[in-house]
């Protein structure tokens, strides 16, 4: 609610459009469009797998993963429910009924890396430091529930150290490089967004890694949950995130 009071953007569409204005951020953003029959048709045929999500959703609620079948046909999944369709018409009709009059977006699907057969993504926390500069204060993986298509903590995802999730995918040296790249990206996103929204004090970036370890921005949150970092055994990130947060809250008073 606070985010609304501060006039921070809630719409995933507005946030995506804003980030696309930056040349250095743009290449991390998967093709994202408004839900419509023609966009659905173009995107499902171009990408094979897409995510359909409410423009103003949170916690993974209402998120749908849709795919073309290997031979023919289509399917989509939300929560733990999977539906199959023989034709594009039937597939679209069912999705249109499900989305109703609410505004949804379609995004190119990222084939997220897996750990123990479960998909995971990464959350990067960026906050204003005591000195007033942007700083990436936390990075954590979120391992999705085995039967779900989202990784959110509130949808059964498990926050875990990125070292645990990534050690079988890349060397410690490459992991350090990737972490640095994501931290730099997070800071760049925060400073870019602050030009339009001067009140921003923190952002939480959801990053998906595909099978070639390329990072993709799934979304940016204006009111990220600081407590997921408390799930890590090592409390250093959690302590820093909370220290910076207390400072911001004090400044606001
Ligand atoms: N384009 C995508 N490719 C792969 N996974 C996605 C994509 N979009 C969303 N997801 C999965 O769904 C989750 C929720 O989507 P997100 O856009 O972050 O919405 P919310 O605001 O509900 O968190 C993500 O954390 C990720 O696990
Ligand atoms: Mg999210």
């Amino acid at each position: 609610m606070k985010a609304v009071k501060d006039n921070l953007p809630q719409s995933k569409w507005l946030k995506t459009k804003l980030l696309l204005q930056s040349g250095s951020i743009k290449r991390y953003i998967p093709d994202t469009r408004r839900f419509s029959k023609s966009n659905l048709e173009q995107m499902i045929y171009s990408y094979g797998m897409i995510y359909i999500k409410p423009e103003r959703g949170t916690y993974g609620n209402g998120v749908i993963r849709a795919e073309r079948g290997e031979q023919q046909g289509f399917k989509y999944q939300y929560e733990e429910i999977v539906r199959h369709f023989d034709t594009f018409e039937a597939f679209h009709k069912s999705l249109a009924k499900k989305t109703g009059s609410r505004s949804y977006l379609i995004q190119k699907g990222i084939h997220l890396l897996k750990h123990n057969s479960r998909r995971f993504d990464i959350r990067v926390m960026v906050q204003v430091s005591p000195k007033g500069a942007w700083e990436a204060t936390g990075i954590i993986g979120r391992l999705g529930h085995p039967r779900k298509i989202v990784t959110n903590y509130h949808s059964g995802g498990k926050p875990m150290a990125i070292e645990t999730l990534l050690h079988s995918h890349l060397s410690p040296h490459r992991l350090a490089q990737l972490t640095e790249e994501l931290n730099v990206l997070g800071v760049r996103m925060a400073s870019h967004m602050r030009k339009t929204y001067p009140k921003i004090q923190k952002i939480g970036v959801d990053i998906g890694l595909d099978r070639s370890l390329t990072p993709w921005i799934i979304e940016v949150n204006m009111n990220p949950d600081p407590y997921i970092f408390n799930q890590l055994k090592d409390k250093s990130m959690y302590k820093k995130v909370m220290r910076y947060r207390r400072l911001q809250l004090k400044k606001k008073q």
Side-chain angles (χ1 to χ4, degrees):
M1 288 321 282
K2 204 170 285 148
V4 172
K5 198 178 77 202
D6 290 345
N7 288 324
L8 298 180
Q10 296 294 303
S11 153
K12 292 189 201 305
W13 183 241
L14 281 187
K15 290 184 279 185
T16 302
K17 281 203 293 189
L18 179 58
L19 292 173
L20 284 171
Q21 287 169 9
S22 158
S24 60
I25 298 170
K26 197 175 161 184
R27 67 186 171 93
Y28 291 96
I29 303 182
D31 187 5
T32 307
R33 304 184 213 166
R34 280 198 180 283
F35 181 86
S36 72
K37 188 172 181 181
S38 64
N39 283 337
L40 180 68
E41 188 165 21
Q42 281 172 29
M43 291 176 82
I44 196 76
Y45 282 106
S46 312
Y47 303 128
M49 194 272 284
I50 55 178
Y51 268 72
I52 302 164
K53 42 193 172 183
E55 182 178 345
R56 290 161 198 277
T58 49
Y59 304 148
N61 291 338
V63 175
I64 302 166
R65 182 185 207 266
E67 268 180 280
R68 274 189 74 193
E70 267 152 37
Q71 305 292 326
Q72 54 175 14
F74 302 86
K75 70 171 178 184
Y76 72 70
Q77 178 179 350
Y78 62 95
E79 293 164 7
E80 296 187 25
I81 297 160
V82 184
R83 299 225 158 106
H84 294 265
F85 305 90
D86 290 333
T87 63
F88 175 77
E89 288 301 321
F91 170 68
H92 167 257
K93 197 169 165 197
S94 174
L95 281 169
K97 194 168 160 204
K98 190 151 175 51
T99 54
S101 57
R102 282 157 303 158
S103 176
Y104 272 70
L105 305 180
I106 310 179
Q107 190 171 64
K108 177 184 177 181
I110 308 303
H111 289 278
L112 297 180
L113 287 183
K114 290 186 175 175
H115 174 78
N116 295 341
S117 316
R118 294 160 66 170
R119 297 185 186 95
F120 68 89
D121 63 7
I122 294 176
R123 165 61 65 84
V124 178
M125 183 84 162
V126 182
Q127 293 169 283
V128 174
S129 77
K131 288 183 179 155
W134 285 113
E135 194 179 317
T137 47
I139 183 163
I140 193 168
R142 304 179 308 170
L143 185 63
H145 182 279
R147 290 188 302 277
K148 295 204 175 161
I149 48 101
V150 297
T151 53
N152 304 64
Y153 183 45
H154 289 87
S155 295
K158 187 172 158 46
M160 285 176 77
I162 57 165
E163 291 79 7
T164 311
L165 295 173
L166 283 167
H167 79 267
S168 63
H169 296 284
L170 79 193
S171 67
H173 175 66
R174 276 286 294 128
L175 177 59
Q177 282 180 336
L178 177 68
T179 306
E180 181 58 17
E181 179 181 358
L182 298 184
N183 288 345
V184 168
L185 174 63
V187 165
R188 211 184 275 157
M189 288 170 68
S191 29
H192 176 74
M193 294 186 85
R194 188 154 65 178
K195 289 186 236 157
T196 305
Y197 299 100
K199 287 195 173 144
I200 293 183
Q201 296 290 314
K202 60 197 183 274
I203 60 170
V205 188
D206 293 344
I207 303 275
L209 295 176
D210 67 17
R211 293 163 188 158
S212 67
L213 294 166
T214 305
W216 295 97
I217 298 170
I218 289 177
E219 70 150 348
V220 52
N221 297 273
M222 311 315 288
N223 213 355
D225 176 7
Y227 298 101
I228 52 168
F229 294 96
N230 197 22
Q231 302 281 324
L232 296 175
K233 211 164 25 184
D234 177 351
K235 301 292 174 196
S236 54
M237 278 184 209
Y238 179 63
K239 283 186 185 154
K240 187 174 208 177
V241 166
M242 294 312 273
R243 185 156 58 84
Y244 284 24
R245 182 172 181 265
R246 275 195 300 276
L247 217 98
Q248 290 158 10
L249 294 176
K250 221 193 247 165
K251 269 196 202 146
K252 266 195 185 166
Q253 285 170 2

